[in-house]
Amino acid sequence: INKNSFNSSELISLLGKFEYVSVELKYSSETSQIIIQQASDLKKTLGKKLRFSAYIEGISKIGMQFKNNKDLYKVRIGKKVTGISSNAFKGCTSLTKVSIHYSVTEIGSSAFDECKSLCEITIPSSITQISNSCFRCCSSLSEITIPSSVTSIQSNAFRSCTSLRQITIPSSVNKIGDHAFYGCYSLTQITIPSSITSIGNYTFSECSSLSQI
C-alpha cells in the first residue's frame, strides 16, 4: 500500500469485509511519519483491529517515527539501513518479530525497550555491542542469539526479560554491564566465557531460577 491509497473508498470498502486485516507498509523516505499517521487514520475509519507490519528500506538511520506505536506487530529492516536510533521502537507493545539486515552496524540504547510482545529478533553479525537497556522489559523474549561480533553487553541490556530461559555469551564478549540480566527470573542457565574481564554490579540479581553458570 502506498501513501496515496489510504483515502480510497474502494480500499476501505474491501477491508471492511474482513474481521482482521494485516497491512505491510513500506517506508522508503524520511517522510514515513505521514504514512504512519494515515495508517492510524485507516484503523479509526474501519473501527476494528488492524495489524501493521513495516518494511523499512531507504532510510539510512531509523529515528523515533515508530516510538510508542501500539499497532505495529512486525518489522523487517532492509539493506540500506545502517543504524537504529536510541528509543526507536520503545514502547511498541504489540511488536512480536523483528529481522535486521547485516547492513545495520548500530542499535541504540533502549531501541526495543518495553516491547513486551517481542518474542523473536535476529541480531546481525555486524553489531558489536548490545546497548544500554536495548531489550529491557521485553517480557515475551524467551531466547536470543548474541552474535560473535559482539564485544560488550551494556547496562540493563536484558533487564526484566522475564521469559528469557537461557543465553550463551560468545567468547568475543569481554564486558557485561550493571544490571544487564537483572530480574530475568526464568533464566536457568548462562554460559560465561573466559574472555570476560568485567562483570558489573547486580548483573544477575533477582535471577531466582538460575542454577548453572
Side-chain angles (χ1 to χ4, degrees):
I1 295 178
N2 62 48
K3 67 179 182 179
N4 297 316
S5 301
F6 288 102
N7 295 323
S8 165
S9 58
E10 291 83 2
L11 174 64
I12 293 173
S13 176
L14 175 63
L15 295 181
K17 297 177 181 179
F18 298 93
E19 184 177 1
Y20 295 100
V21 179
S22 297
V23 180
E24 180 173 272
L25 307 174
K26 183 175 181 180
Y27 299 89
S28 57
S29 74
E30 299 294 349
T31 61
S32 60
Q33 184 62 48
I34 297 172
I35 302 178
I36 294 172
Q37 183 57 54
Q38 289 179 320
S40 249
D41 292 343
L42 177 61
K43 180 180 178 181
K44 292 175 184 177
T45 300
L46 290 174
K48 61 176 66 182
K49 186 173 179 63
L50 272 75
R51 303 192 309 170
F52 296 109
S53 62
Y55 174 53
I56 306 170
E57 186 180 42
I59 299 175
S60 59
K61 190 169 186 176
I62 300 170
M64 291 193 290
Q65 302 99 320
F66 300 94
K67 184 180 178 182
N68 293 322
N69 189 304
K70 308 302 182 186
D71 301 318
L72 189 65
Y73 84 104
K74 183 178 177 182
V75 170
R76 292 190 297 135
I77 298 175
K79 61 184 178 180
K80 294 183 180 179
V81 180
T82 59
I84 300 173
S85 296
S86 297
N87 303 298
F89 296 97
K90 182 176 181 177
C92 293
T93 53
S94 298
L95 184 61
T96 61
K97 182 178 180 180
V98 178
S99 61
I100 304 173
H101 194 270
Y102 60 80
S103 59
V104 174
T105 58
E106 175 192 3
I107 301 176
S109 60
S110 298
F112 297 97
D113 191 358
E114 298 180 2
C115 291
K116 297 180 179 181
S117 299
L118 184 64
C119 57
E120 184 178 345
I121 185 166
T122 303
I123 301 175
S125 58
S126 49
I127 296 299
T128 59
Q129 68 176 21
I130 309 296
S131 300
N132 295 332
S133 301
C134 192
F135 299 103
R136 190 184 73 92
C137 293
C138 291
S139 54
S140 296
L141 192 65
S142 61
E143 60 181 312
I144 191 166
T145 300
I146 298 177
S148 58
S149 54
V150 171
T151 59
S152 69
I153 299 172
Q154 297 190 349
S155 300
N156 299 298
F158 296 97
R159 181 171 181 161
S160 297
C161 288
T162 54
S163 296
L164 191 64
R165 295 191 301 271
Q166 66 178 58
I167 190 165
T168 299
I169 299 174
S171 58
S172 56
V173 174
N174 55 53
K175 180 182 179 181
I176 303 176
D178 297 342
H179 303 93
F181 296 95
Y182 184 101
C184 295
Y185 54 69
S186 296
L187 189 64
T188 60
Q189 181 178 331
I190 187 165
T191 302
I192 300 177
S194 59
S195 58
I196 297 293
T197 58
S198 174
I199 296 178
N201 296 320
Y202 305 103
T203 299
F204 300 104
S205 288
E206 303 300 324
C207 294
S208 54
S209 299
L210 188 61
S211 60
Q212 184 176 346
I213 296 179

